[in-house]
Amino acid sequence: MISGCAERGLPIEVVGSGSKRAIGRPMESAVTLTTTSLRGIALYEPSELVMSAGAGTPLSAVEVELAGRGQMLAFEPIDLGPASGGPQGAQTIGAVFATNLSGARRIQSGAARDHLLGIKGVNGRAELFQVGGRVMKNVAGYDVSRGLTGSWGTLAVLTQVTFKVLPWPEASVTIVFLGLPDDIAIELLCLAMGQPFEVSGAVHLQAAVAERLDHPGLKSRGKSVTALRLENFANSVATRKQRLKEGLRVYGNALELDNRESIEFWSELRRLSVMPYGPSLLWRISTKPTTAPKLVAGVKRYMPVKAFYDWSGGLIWLEVPATDDAGTAEIRRVVAIHGGHATLIRAEPAVRASVEVFQPLGPAVERLTRGLKEAFDPAGILNPGRMYANI
Amino acid sequence: MTLTNLPEPDQEVVARSSTIIKDLEQLVARDAVISDEEGRRAFEADALTAYRQMPLAVVLPQTTEEVSKVLRYCQQNRIKVVPRGAGTSLCGGALPAADAIVVGVSKMNRILGVDYENRAIRVQTGITNLAISEAVGAQGFFYAPDPSSQLACTLAGNIAMNSGGAHCLKYGVTTNNVLGVQIVMMDGEIVELGGPHLDAEGYDLLALVIGSEGQFGIVTEATVRILRKAEMARPILLGFDNCEAAGLCVAAIIGSGIMPVAIEFMDKPAIEVSEAFAKAGYPRDVEALLIVEVEGSEDEISRLLSYIVEIVMPFDPKAVEPSTSPEQSERIWKGRKSAFGAFGRISDYYCMDGTIPLARLAEVLPKISQICANKGLKVANVFHAGDGNLHPLILYDANNEDEAQRAELAGAEILKLCVAVGGCLSGEHGIGIEKRDLMGVQFSEADLNVQMRIRSVFDPDWLLNPGKVFPLEMSEKAGAAGSRLRRFPFERIA
């Protein structure tokens, strides 16, 4: 199919389940290629912490299989479906890696890209290829599999992914501080990340975002929520929690979420249900943690904002009112001042067609990006224009 | 060891040597160019010492701008460049060529900024791996990847090879710990990839650059993650009367939810040689020995070590020695850490670096011994068991040409075995020239084409680190195609 399209120069929309279809620049394509028939777990060795699955295998199926052996995907992939108007829990494992979407545990355990060991795929030349493998350490050849993460199907169609998994921690506990302003909250999160307690989640939700939480004790307070997660053996978690709280006493008294509440709280964040689908726009901004509050304050000078800070502040989910240009000029200007990059996650197709959805690239990086596109997909048929015009 | 063919030097370039050296001296500080024979001699090999070649000249720039000027000049004049960190590569990754200049980053070794709040440090890449950890150690932080050459090896070399180390079981390898780089492309352009933030925008170019063995550009600065050190760490020593039990035990520990920072394995020949030298008090009546190290507070470590004892009991260990003091920890590690040195005292050895799925360990180790025995050679195994990264040490006499060749042949067979059981050619050393011709064992032609096309994107004329990573014939063909593409831009590389 790819070779046929390549010969005719027919653009192909490459999707898994299509749950993230409303993200990126809108594409016009005659043909859609879904990987959903490439499903099934090809290999699972719990004692080696490794799994291979067809790219079209639903993430939920992967996670059910892992949970059966007390294991998980440590990078806690977030589900952009609900926030972007797509279905919840539908995404495929291939798409998780193709978009490199990682959740709160990314700060402790690494991103999706860090857990990918190998792939099989088909490039725009209709060549089947494989890179990487199934072992944890592998420097044979260039790291092409990792290089394909975050390419949103524009370089190759993934057919099989092999990745690292980890055991579920025995216990999870979350400590919560209420009512801190953004800058103090981020200071607290950074301080906690610098302690030897292996904090595995560090988030701050502004009051207007926190009120969307399901947790009854947190949603109704009318206050911002700053939360830190500890995961480990139960004994360790108990001791570390005490020591962490002592070290952070100057920030006020902390509430505690027990194991069950803690798991529920973080799975809510994982679904991004605090940024629900609606007419407002949603931006995803990556920056240095300590500059995050300044960046958000900078955008606020131009428009009302609601912010959810993940990764100790290094990742900002920013909700802004709908406008024709999505506030692109102002947001990109502020991001340029503070460093980092911004992606428009949710907006009407007409808006996504008229503005740069992904962070515009500098000239050298753009040249390399075009070079890679040419190397993998010279006819430009795989998800053309999904990330950047003419790429 | 001379089984690997090296590319024929381009005599036309060699003939221009004196002009090239004069030109280089105009571009950089005069003492940054080394052209005398004695000076160049120091750069004729890396840690794969069996292969030696004198470079045309050596340049040791002090700034990124100097690197840029040198690369631009070389690109314009079609001169090949061999990037070099500290020259500790075990696969010939920094082996020079007679028609190439060596560009070393060792003089660029400054720390440019430490940011504890955001847990990152910006450095010039000529800094040694250990110096990064030392710079932030007083504040309780460290840089995680720790190759055993960390005292000497540079971050530049670590980035080129995506180096690992004993502690990467928990903390990942270089690519998991680098946030951003400044890279000088072959045409002299200085490019920033990534930054102090966690995810880079667009394609993951950083992932491609890390592990590209110096073939995509020269990385002169990097921002790397620093992590808070655990309060303390302590090992437990475990002995088994067969390798299979030791292998199963590794799998059981990893599957239990404990995340040890290291699981090291030594087989009987390794234990014997190490004991004779280091006298660490290892049990002598066992076939395999594991050192498992865990981290945390005093209480946590005691609990984790007791838990490990519980896990290993069903595997009938012949020795169980959890460390209870810093002195005991030091002694337990002493034998492992001095193992390579101990072998160096009794014999020359060839250190291999294949990775296998852990479950195949019990089957692979005897086969490795058999392969070596068939070539009339002895082998010992000291390696990172947690991630299946084998380091068979093939013992041979470097002065005996025949024996050296047999060692190289045995090494190739071992790597083929690693691939056959589902593993790979290299876990952390890289391909270099050493394993170049085995790439076809692991990859199909289509797989290699995908990789070679990426190389052409970064270095269209294939001038950087020539003759490495890919089988020579394929390299030369692709390099020639790259040059043709430059001259006739409408022609596509097949």
Side-chain angles (χ1 to χ4, degrees), chain B residues 184-203:
Chain B
V184 184
M185 309 298 294
M186 192 61 209
D187 63 5
E189 183 159 14
I190 300 166
V191 183
E192 288 286 339
L193 301 177
H197 41 274
L198 283 177
D199 283 349
E201 68 263 35
Y203 293 163

Side-chain angles (χ1 to χ4, degrees), chain A residues 79-98:
Chain A
D79 187 352
L80 284 181
S84 61
Q88 182 187 310
Q91 64 183 333
T92 62
I93 189 70
V96 165
F97 289 104

Side-chain angles (χ1 to χ4, degrees), chain A residues 280-325:
Chain A
S280 59
L281 307 173
L282 183 62
W283 284 86
R284 178 185 186 275
I285 302 171
S286 193
T287 188
K288 206 160 64 171
T290 50
T291 57
K294 292 174 223 154
L295 194 154
V296 170
V299 176
K300 201 178 165 190
R301 288 214 294 273
Y302 298 102
M303 61 194 89
V305 298
K306 290 186 178 132
F308 159 30
Y309 298 83
D310 199 348
W311 301 354
S312 180
L315 179 68
I316 307 162
W317 295 98
L318 196 67
E319 194 179 292
V320 300
T323 53
D324 289 348
D325 67 349

Side-chain angles (χ1 to χ4, degrees), chain A residues 117-119 130-134 138 140 142 144-145, chain B residues 442-443 451:
Chain A
L117 300 173
I119 59 138
Q130 60 176 333
V131 281
R134 57 161 289 196
N138 188 342
Y142 305 143
V144 183
S145 27
Chain B
Q442 189 174 337
F443 297 106
Q451 299 189 34

Side-chain angles (χ1 to χ4, degrees), chain B residues 10-24:
Chain B
D10 183 338
Q11 291 306 330
E12 187 269 327
V13 172
V14 175
R16 280 191 280 146
S17 293
S18 55
T19 321
I20 292 169
I21 289 162
K22 274 200 200 92
D23 289 346
L24 289 171

